[in-house]
Amino acid sequence: MNGILVDDEKLDRIQSKVLDMRLYHGQPATFEGVTLTPYSATVGARVTGLRIDARAEPGAALRRFLYDGILRHGFLSFAPGTVALEDFERLVALFGTPKLMNTPYTPETGKDGQLNAIDSSIKKTRMNYIWHMDQVFQPKPPPFTALFAQAAPQVGGDTLFANATAAYDLLDPLFAAYLETLSAVHDVEAQGFLTLAYHDLAQRAAQREKHPPIEVPLVRTHPETGRKQIFANELYTQRVLGVTRRTSQALLDILFDALGAPEVQTRHRWEDGAALIWDNRTVQHRGVADFGQGRRVLHRALVV
């Protein structure tokens, strides 16, 4: 700089950090005719060659292959034709037990009553367009979330995903070590979720009592992979504890900037009949409201 030559080691040190892609950029993997192909360099994989219905239940080894795949890639996108809507809960069951968690704007669907519909024609709240992890205002949020596209818009309506582990890896190590000493408050009402979703005051009060604010680590470790990740999101993280309000916001802005880096994100394009399951402990997500008057109908299962 200023005409002074620097060696490669110093050049690397004085510039912003880049990801070690050896930890992310995998090759396609195939097992028993089922192939996982990376969706992007840091998050997601496409699944082809799989069929789920009453006559086709994967064995234990194939289930392990898929489970290891979601831990490695963060989400698995299943091609249309993998599963029909009436069999979607069979696919969900490969990763755990579906559990209904809905609001008045996301009514119950599904033959076993453990799915809810996210239908743009009736859903007037827009919280799904803010970066978040599902239900992290609870002490034990679901480890996985699954979606099935009953109807996808002709244009738009994609879902963005960000790898919170890769975002952590972009942080300076000394700064990351400081963040690991801090806690934050997660609150379902941080952006007014209950106020907008529950117009009945008694229902709203019951939900508020059921979901008080909780204290969480600002950085947490994935229980299965052992890798660290940013555990702050724009929808539910209210503030960082132990610092001033302005410092709290500055720290959150830095973390949200890391989560917004193109290197850690991908954009999933929906097709009718496509399904997707993600590791809610690894990735954050948000919908994109760019489909105008088009209709977008997704069926959701939270997996415990």
Side-chain angles (χ1 to χ4, degrees):
M1 304 182 325
N2 295 325
I4 300 175
L5 295 177
V6 296
D7 58 30
D8 287 346
E9 182 178 349
K10 184 176 181 181
L11 188 65
D12 185 60
R13 180 174 57 81
I14 64 178
Q15 296 186 93
S16 58
K17 192 176 180 183
V18 296
L19 295 174
D20 180 354
M21 296 312 300
R22 293 172 298 181
L23 300 174
Y24 300 96
H25 191 69
Q27 298 298 317
T30 300
F31 182 77
E32 294 185 357
V34 176
T35 299
L36 306 186
T37 304
Y39 198 93
S40 72
T42 54
V43 58
R46 292 185 178 91
V47 182
T48 55
L50 181 67
R51 176 67 193 176
I52 303 290
D53 57 31
R55 298 167 297 176
E57 293 286 350
L62 181 53
R63 292 171 67 127
R64 185 73 243 180
F65 174 71
L66 294 171
Y67 194 88
D68 289 344
I70 202 170
L71 292 181
R72 175 173 175 76
H73 295 285
F75 75 71
L76 298 180
S77 174
F78 298 87
T82 299
V83 64
L85 178 57
E86 59 267 24
D87 292 309
F88 179 47
E89 289 181 62
R90 294 181 183 274
L91 176 62
V92 172
L94 300 181
F95 300 88
T97 303
K99 182 178 181 180
L100 179 69
M101 296 180 187
N102 65 326
T103 73
Y105 280 117
T106 54
E108 175 186 322
T109 62
K111 60 186 179 182
D112 294 329
Q114 298 302 326
L115 304 180
N116 67 279
I118 305 172
D119 185 341
S120 63
S121 68
I122 62 174
K123 187 177 185 297
K124 304 307 179 184
T125 57
R126 299 171 183 168
M127 296 299 176
N128 54 316
Y129 302 136
I130 302 173
W131 281 106
H132 64 286
M133 290 173 156
D134 286 332
Q135 304 283 316
V136 291
F137 52 82
Q138 300 193 82
K140 292 184 178 180
F144 303 104
T145 301
L147 293 174
F148 180 92
Q150 178 183 347
Q154 290 187 347
V155 177
D158 299 351
T159 299
L160 299 178
F161 291 93
N163 186 329
T165 297
Y168 172 85
D169 289 345
L170 282 177
L171 301 174
D172 178 90
L174 293 178
F175 180 60
Y178 167 62
L179 296 177
E180 290 173 32
T181 69
L182 300 175
S183 297
V185 173
H186 280 190
D187 186 357
V188 66
E189 272 286 72
Q191 297 263 14
F193 181 92
L194 298 181
T195 299
L196 295 176
Y198 293 90
H199 299 168
D200 181 279
L201 295 181
Q203 286 186 340
R204 187 189 305 168
Q207 290 294 321
R208 174 77 273 187
E209 183 177 2
K210 184 179 178 181
H211 300 299
I214 61 172
E215 181 177 343
V216 300
L218 198 56
V219 172
R220 70 173 181 178
T221 300
H222 193 290
E224 295 190 78
T225 68
R227 298 186 65 188
K228 294 177 181 178
Q229 64 174 222
I230 294 172
F231 193 45
N233 69 91
E234 294 185 43
L235 182 54
Y236 297 127
T237 303
Q238 183 188 77
R239 64 189 176 94
V240 179
L241 295 172
V243 298
T244 66
R245 179 173 180 174
R246 294 181 67 179
T247 299
S248 169
Q249 191 57 55
L251 291 173
L252 292 177
D253 286 345
I254 292 170
L255 297 183
F256 297 157
D257 185 62
L259 289 160
E263 296 93 328
V264 310
Q265 290 190 7
T266 196
R267 186 171 184 134
H268 180 266
R269 172 71 177 140
W270 289 103
E271 302 175 76
D272 290 358
L276 192 145
I277 299 178
W278 68 86
D279 187 340
N280 194 50
R281 304 161 298 181
T282 299
V283 299
Q284 297 194 16
H285 67 285
R286 57 154 293 183
V288 183
D290 61 351
F291 51 97
Q293 298 303 310
R295 191 180 180 199
R296 182 178 184 264
V297 184
L298 303 175
H299 293 257
R300 183 183 74 161
L302 298 179
V303 188
V304 297

Coordinates of all heavy atoms in Angstrom, one line a residue, residues 119-179:
D119 N -50.4 -19.5 2.6 CA -51.1 -19.1 1.3 C -51.2 -17.6 1.2 O -51.8 -16.9 2.0 CB -52.6 -19.7 1.4 CG -53.3 -19.5 0.1 OD1 -53.0 -18.7 -0.7 OD2 -54.3 -20.3 -0.1
S120 N -50.5 -17.1 0.1 CA -50.4 -15.6 0.0 C -51.8 -15.0 -0.2 O -51.9 -13.8 0.0 CB -49.5 -15.3 -1.2 OG -50.0 -15.8 -2.4
S121 N -52.8 -15.7 -0.6 CA -54.1 -15.2 -0.8 C -54.9 -14.8 0.5 O -55.8 -14.0 0.5 CB -55.0 -16.1 -1.7 OG -55.3 -17.3 -1.0
I122 N -54.4 -15.5 1.6 CA -55.1 -15.2 2.9 C -54.1 -14.7 3.9 O -54.5 -14.2 4.9 CB -55.8 -16.5 3.4 CG1 -54.8 -17.6 3.7 CG2 -56.9 -17.0 2.4 CD1 -55.4 -18.8 4.3
K123 N -52.8 -14.9 3.7 CA -51.8 -14.5 4.7 C -51.5 -13.0 4.5 O -50.9 -12.7 3.5 CB -50.6 -15.4 4.6 CG -49.6 -15.1 5.8 CD -48.4 -16.1 5.7 CE -47.5 -15.9 6.9 NZ -46.9 -14.6 6.9
K124 N -51.9 -12.2 5.4 CA -51.7 -10.8 5.3 C -50.4 -10.3 6.1 O -50.0 -9.1 5.9 CB -52.9 -10.0 5.8 CG -54.2 -10.4 5.0 CD -54.0 -10.3 3.5 CE -55.3 -10.8 2.8 NZ -55.1 -10.8 1.3
T125 N -49.9 -11.1 7.0 CA -48.7 -10.7 7.7 C -47.5 -10.9 6.8 O -47.5 -11.8 6.0 CB -48.6 -11.4 9.1 OG1 -48.6 -12.8 8.8 CG2 -49.7 -11.1 10.0
R126 N -46.4 -10.2 7.1 CA -45.3 -10.2 6.2 C -44.0 -10.6 7.0 O -42.9 -10.2 6.5 CB -45.1 -8.9 5.4 CG -46.3 -8.6 4.6 CD -46.3 -7.2 4.0 NE -47.5 -6.9 3.2 CZ -47.8 -5.7 2.8 NH1 -47.0 -4.7 3.0 NH2 -48.9 -5.5 2.1
M127 N -44.1 -11.2 8.1 CA -43.0 -11.5 8.9 C -42.0 -12.5 8.2 O -40.8 -12.6 8.5 CB -43.4 -12.1 10.2 CG -44.1 -11.1 11.1 SD -43.1 -9.7 11.5 CE -44.3 -8.7 12.4
N128 N -42.6 -13.3 7.3 CA -41.7 -14.3 6.6 C -40.8 -13.6 5.6 O -40.0 -14.3 5.0 CB -42.6 -15.4 5.9 CG -43.6 -14.8 5.0 OD1 -44.3 -13.8 5.3 ND2 -43.8 -15.4 3.8
Y129 N -40.9 -12.3 5.4 CA -40.0 -11.6 4.5 C -38.9 -10.9 5.3 O -38.2 -10.1 4.7 CB -40.8 -10.5 3.7 CG -41.9 -11.1 2.9 CD1 -43.2 -10.5 2.8 CD2 -41.8 -12.3 2.1 CE1 -44.2 -11.0 2.1 CE2 -42.8 -12.8 1.4 CZ -44.0 -12.2 1.3 OH -45.0 -12.7 0.6
I130 N -38.7 -11.3 6.5 CA -37.6 -10.8 7.4 C -36.7 -12.0 7.7 O -37.2 -13.1 8.1 CB -38.2 -10.1 8.7 CG1 -39.2 -9.0 8.3 CG2 -37.1 -9.6 9.5 CD1 -39.9 -8.4 9.5
W131 N -35.4 -11.8 7.7 CA -34.5 -12.9 8.0 C -34.8 -13.5 9.4 O -34.9 -12.7 10.3 CB -33.1 -12.4 7.9 CG -32.5 -12.3 6.5 CD1 -32.3 -11.1 5.8 CD2 -32.1 -13.3 5.6 NE1 -31.8 -11.4 4.6 CE2 -31.7 -12.7 4.4 CE3 -32.1 -14.7 5.8 CZ2 -31.2 -13.5 3.4 CZ3 -31.7 -15.5 4.7 CH2 -31.2 -14.8 3.5
H132 N -34.8 -14.8 9.4 CA -35.1 -15.5 10.7 C -34.8 -16.9 10.7 O -34.5 -17.5 9.6 CB -36.6 -15.3 11.1 CG -37.5 -16.0 10.2 ND1 -37.9 -15.5 9.0 CD2 -38.3 -17.1 10.4 CE1 -38.7 -16.2 8.4 NE2 -39.0 -17.2 9.2
M133 N -34.7 -17.5 11.9 CA -34.8 -19.0 12.1 C -36.1 -19.3 12.7 O -36.6 -18.5 13.6 CB -33.6 -19.5 12.9 CG -32.3 -19.4 12.3 SD -30.9 -19.8 13.5 CE -29.7 -20.4 12.4
D134 N -36.8 -20.3 12.4 CA -38.1 -20.6 12.9 C -38.1 -20.9 14.4 O -37.3 -21.7 14.9 CB -38.7 -21.8 12.2 CG -39.1 -21.5 10.7 OD1 -39.5 -20.3 10.5 OD2 -39.1 -22.4 9.9
Q135 N -39.0 -20.1 15.1 CA -39.4 -20.4 16.5 C -38.2 -20.2 17.4 O -38.2 -20.8 18.5 CB -40.0 -21.8 16.6 CG -41.2 -22.1 15.7 CD -42.4 -21.5 16.2 OE1 -42.7 -21.6 17.4 NE2 -43.2 -20.9 15.4
V136 N -37.2 -19.4 17.1 CA -36.1 -19.3 18.0 C -36.3 -18.3 19.1 O -35.4 -18.0 19.9 CB -34.8 -18.9 17.2 CG1 -34.3 -20.0 16.4 CG2 -35.0 -17.6 16.4
F137 N -37.6 -17.9 19.3 CA -38.0 -17.2 20.5 C -38.4 -18.2 21.6 O -38.8 -17.8 22.7 CB -39.2 -16.3 20.2 CG -40.4 -17.0 19.5 CD1 -41.3 -17.7 20.2 CD2 -40.5 -16.9 18.1 CE1 -42.4 -18.4 19.6 CE2 -41.5 -17.5 17.4 CZ -42.5 -18.3 18.2
Q138 N -38.3 -19.6 21.3 CA -38.6 -20.6 22.3 C -37.2 -21.2 22.8 O -36.3 -21.2 22.0 CB -39.4 -21.7 21.6 CG -40.7 -21.3 21.1 CD -41.6 -22.5 20.8 OE1 -42.2 -23.1 21.7 NE2 -41.6 -22.9 19.5
P139 N -37.2 -21.7 24.0 CA -36.0 -22.4 24.5 C -35.5 -23.6 23.6 O -34.3 -23.8 23.5 CB -36.4 -22.8 25.9 CG -37.5 -21.9 26.3 CD -38.3 -21.6 25.0
K140 N -36.5 -24.3 23.0 CA -36.1 -25.4 22.2 C -36.8 -25.3 20.9 O -37.8 -25.9 20.6 CB -36.5 -26.8 22.9 CG -35.7 -27.1 24.2 CD -36.1 -28.4 24.7 CE -35.2 -28.7 26.0 NZ -35.6 -30.1 26.5
P141 N -36.3 -24.5 20.0 CA -36.9 -24.4 18.6 C -36.7 -25.7 17.8 O -35.8 -26.5 18.1 CB -36.1 -23.3 18.0 CG -34.8 -23.3 18.7 CD -35.1 -23.7 20.1
P142 N -37.5 -25.9 16.8 CA -37.4 -27.2 16.0 C -36.1 -27.2 15.3 O -35.7 -26.2 14.7 CB -38.6 -27.1 15.1 CG -38.9 -25.6 15.0 CD -38.6 -25.0 16.3
P143 N -35.5 -28.4 15.2 CA -34.2 -28.5 14.4 C -34.4 -28.4 12.9 O -33.4 -28.1 12.2 CB -33.7 -29.9 14.9 CG -34.9 -30.6 15.3 CD -35.8 -29.6 15.9
F144 N -35.6 -28.8 12.4 CA -35.8 -28.8 11.0 C -37.1 -28.2 10.6 O -38.1 -28.2 11.4 CB -35.7 -30.2 10.4 CG -34.5 -31.0 10.7 CD1 -34.4 -31.9 11.7 CD2 -33.3 -30.7 10.0 CE1 -33.3 -32.6 11.9 CE2 -32.1 -31.4 10.3 CZ -32.1 -32.3 11.2
T145 N -37.2 -27.6 9.4 CA -38.4 -27.1 8.8 C -38.5 -27.6 7.4 O -37.5 -27.7 6.7 CB -38.5 -25.5 8.8 OG1 -38.3 -25.0 10.1 CG2 -39.8 -25.1 8.2
A146 N -39.7 -28.0 7.0 CA -40.0 -28.5 5.7 C -41.1 -27.8 5.0 O -42.1 -27.4 5.6 CB -40.3 -30.0 5.8
L147 N -41.0 -27.6 3.7 CA -42.0 -26.9 2.9 C -42.3 -27.7 1.6 O -41.4 -28.4 1.1 CB -41.5 -25.5 2.4 CG -41.3 -24.4 3.5 CD1 -40.7 -23.2 2.9 CD2 -42.7 -24.1 4.2
F148 N -43.5 -27.7 1.2 CA -44.0 -28.3 -0.1 C -44.7 -27.3 -0.9 O -45.6 -26.6 -0.3 CB -44.9 -29.5 0.2 CG -45.4 -30.2 -1.1 CD1 -44.7 -31.3 -1.6 CD2 -46.5 -29.7 -1.7 CE1 -45.1 -31.9 -2.8 CE2 -47.0 -30.3 -2.9 CZ -46.3 -31.4 -3.4
A149 N -44.3 -27.1 -2.1 CA -44.9 -26.1 -3.0 C -46.2 -26.6 -3.7 O -46.0 -27.4 -4.7 CB -43.9 -25.5 -4.0
Q150 N -47.3 -26.3 -3.2 CA -48.6 -26.7 -3.9 C -48.7 -25.8 -5.2 O -49.2 -26.3 -6.2 CB -49.8 -26.5 -3.0 CG -51.1 -26.9 -3.7 CD -52.3 -26.7 -2.8 OE1 -52.2 -26.5 -1.6 NE2 -53.5 -26.7 -3.4
A151 N -48.5 -24.5 -5.0 CA -48.6 -23.6 -6.1 C -47.5 -22.5 -6.0 O -47.4 -21.8 -5.0 CB -49.9 -22.9 -6.1
A152 N -46.6 -22.5 -7.1 CA -45.6 -21.5 -7.1 C -45.9 -20.4 -8.1 O -46.5 -20.7 -9.2 CB -44.2 -22.1 -7.5
P153 N -45.6 -19.1 -7.9 CA -45.9 -18.1 -8.8 C -45.1 -18.3 -10.1 O -44.0 -19.0 -10.1 CB -45.4 -16.8 -8.1 CG -45.3 -17.2 -6.7 CD -45.0 -18.6 -6.6
Q154 N -45.6 -17.8 -11.2 CA -44.8 -18.0 -12.5 C -43.5 -17.2 -12.4 O -42.5 -17.6 -13.0 CB -45.7 -17.5 -13.7 CG -46.8 -18.4 -14.0 CD -47.5 -18.0 -15.3 OE1 -47.3 -16.9 -15.8 NE2 -48.4 -18.9 -15.8
V155 N -43.6 -16.1 -11.7 CA -42.4 -15.2 -11.6 C -42.3 -14.8 -10.1 O -43.2 -14.4 -9.5 CB -42.4 -14.0 -12.5 CG1 -41.2 -13.1 -12.2 CG2 -42.5 -14.4 -13.9
G156 N -41.1 -14.9 -9.5 CA -40.8 -14.5 -8.1 C -41.3 -15.5 -7.1 O -41.6 -16.6 -7.4
G157 N -41.3 -15.0 -5.8 CA -41.7 -15.8 -4.7 C -40.7 -16.8 -4.2 O -41.0 -17.8 -3.6
D158 N -39.4 -16.5 -4.5 CA -38.3 -17.4 -4.1 C -38.1 -17.3 -2.6 O -38.7 -16.4 -1.9 CB -37.0 -16.9 -4.8 CG -37.0 -17.1 -6.3 OD1 -38.0 -17.6 -6.8 OD2 -36.1 -16.6 -7.0
T159 N -37.3 -18.2 -2.1 CA -36.9 -18.1 -0.7 C -35.3 -18.0 -0.6 O -34.6 -18.8 -1.3 CB -37.3 -19.4 0.1 OG1 -38.7 -19.5 0.1 CG2 -36.8 -19.3 1.5
L160 N -34.9 -17.0 0.1 CA -33.4 -16.9 0.3 C -33.0 -17.6 1.5 O -33.7 -17.7 2.6 CB -33.1 -15.4 0.5 CG -33.4 -14.4 -0.6 CD1 -33.0 -13.0 -0.2 CD2 -32.7 -14.8 -1.9
F161 N -31.8 -18.2 1.5 CA -31.2 -19.0 2.6 C -29.8 -18.4 2.8 O -29.0 -18.1 1.9 CB -31.1 -20.5 2.3 CG -32.5 -21.1 2.3 CD1 -33.1 -21.3 1.1 CD2 -33.0 -21.6 3.5 CE1 -34.4 -21.9 1.1 CE2 -34.3 -22.2 3.4 CZ -34.9 -22.4 2.3
A162 N -29.4 -18.3 4.1 CA -28.1 -17.9 4.5 C -27.5 -18.9 5.5 O -28.2 -19.3 6.4 CB -28.1 -16.5 5.1
N163 N -26.3 -19.3 5.3 CA -25.6 -20.2 6.1 C -25.0 -19.5 7.3 O -24.0 -18.7 7.2 CB -24.5 -21.0 5.4 CG -23.8 -22.1 6.1 OD1 -23.7 -22.0 7.4 ND2 -23.4 -23.1 5.5
A164 N -25.6 -19.6 8.5 CA -25.1 -18.9 9.7 C -23.8 -19.3 10.2 O -23.1 -18.6 10.9 CB -26.2 -19.0 10.8
T165 N -23.4 -20.6 9.8 CA -22.0 -21.0 10.2 C -21.0 -20.4 9.3 O -19.9 -19.9 9.7 CB -22.0 -22.6 10.0 OG1 -22.9 -23.2 10.9 CG2 -20.6 -23.1 10.2
A166 N -21.3 -20.3 8.0 CA -20.4 -19.6 7.0 C -20.3 -18.1 7.4 O -19.2 -17.5 7.3 CB -20.9 -19.8 5.6
A167 N -21.4 -17.5 7.8 CA -21.3 -16.1 8.2 C -20.4 -15.9 9.5 O -19.6 -15.0 9.5 CB -22.7 -15.6 8.6
Y168 N -20.5 -16.9 10.4 CA -19.5 -16.8 11.5 C -18.1 -16.9 11.1 O -17.2 -16.2 11.6 CB -19.9 -17.9 12.5 CG -18.9 -18.1 13.6 CD1 -19.0 -17.3 14.8 CD2 -17.8 -19.0 13.5 CE1 -18.0 -17.4 15.8 CE2 -16.9 -19.1 14.5 CZ -17.0 -18.3 15.7 OH -16.1 -18.5 16.7
D169 N -17.9 -17.8 10.1 CA -16.5 -18.0 9.6 C -15.9 -16.7 8.9 O -14.7 -16.6 8.7 CB -16.4 -19.2 8.6 CG -16.6 -20.5 9.4 OD1 -16.5 -20.5 10.6 OD2 -16.9 -21.5 8.7
L170 N -16.8 -15.8 8.5 CA -16.3 -14.6 7.9 C -15.8 -13.5 8.9 O -15.2 -12.6 8.6 CB -17.4 -13.9 7.1 CG -17.8 -14.5 5.7 CD1 -19.0 -13.8 5.1 CD2 -16.6 -14.4 4.8
L171 N -16.1 -13.8 10.2 CA -15.8 -12.8 11.3 C -14.3 -12.9 11.6 O -13.7 -14.0 11.6 CB -16.6 -13.1 12.5 CG -18.1 -13.0 12.4 CD1 -18.8 -13.4 13.7 CD2 -18.5 -11.6 11.9
D172 N -13.7 -11.8 12.0 CA -12.4 -11.8 12.6 C -12.3 -12.7 13.8 O -13.2 -12.6 14.7 CB -11.9 -10.4 12.9 CG -10.5 -10.4 13.5 OD1 -9.6 -10.3 12.8 OD2 -10.4 -10.5 14.8
P173 N -11.3 -13.6 14.0 CA -11.3 -14.5 15.1 C -11.4 -13.8 16.5 O -12.0 -14.3 17.4 CB -10.0 -15.3 14.9 CG -9.8 -15.2 13.4 CD -10.3 -13.9 13.0
L174 N -10.7 -12.7 16.6 CA -10.7 -12.0 17.9 C -12.0 -11.4 18.2 O -12.5 -11.4 19.3 CB -9.6 -10.9 17.9 CG -8.1 -11.4 17.9 CD1 -7.2 -10.2 17.9 CD2 -7.9 -12.3 19.1
F175 N -12.7 -10.8 17.2 CA -14.0 -10.3 17.3 C -15.0 -11.4 17.6 O -15.9 -11.3 18.5 CB -14.4 -9.5 16.1 CG -15.8 -8.9 16.1 CD1 -16.1 -8.0 17.1 CD2 -16.8 -9.3 15.2 CE1 -17.4 -7.4 17.1 CE2 -18.0 -8.8 15.2 CZ -18.3 -7.8 16.2
A176 N -14.9 -12.5 16.9 CA -15.7 -13.7 17.2 C -15.6 -14.2 18.6 O -16.6 -14.5 19.3 CB -15.4 -14.8 16.2
A177 N -14.4 -14.2 19.1 CA -14.2 -14.6 20.5 C -14.9 -13.7 21.5 O -15.4 -14.2 22.5 CB -12.7 -14.7 20.8
Y178 N -14.9 -12.4 21.2 CA -15.6 -11.5 22.1 C -17.1 -11.7 22.0 O -17.8 -11.8 23.0 CB -15.3 -10.0 21.6 CG -16.2 -9.0 22.2 CD1 -16.3 -8.8 23.6 CD2 -17.1 -8.2 21.4 CE1 -17.2 -7.9 24.1 CE2 -17.9 -7.3 21.9 CZ -18.0 -7.1 23.3 OH -18.8 -6.2 23.8
L179 N -17.6 -12.0 20.8 CA -19.1 -12.2 20.7 C -19.5 -13.5 21.5 O -20.6 -13.5 22.0 CB -19.4 -12.4 19.2 CG -19.2 -11.2 18.3 CD1 -19.5 -11.6 16.8 CD2 -20.1 -10.0 18.7

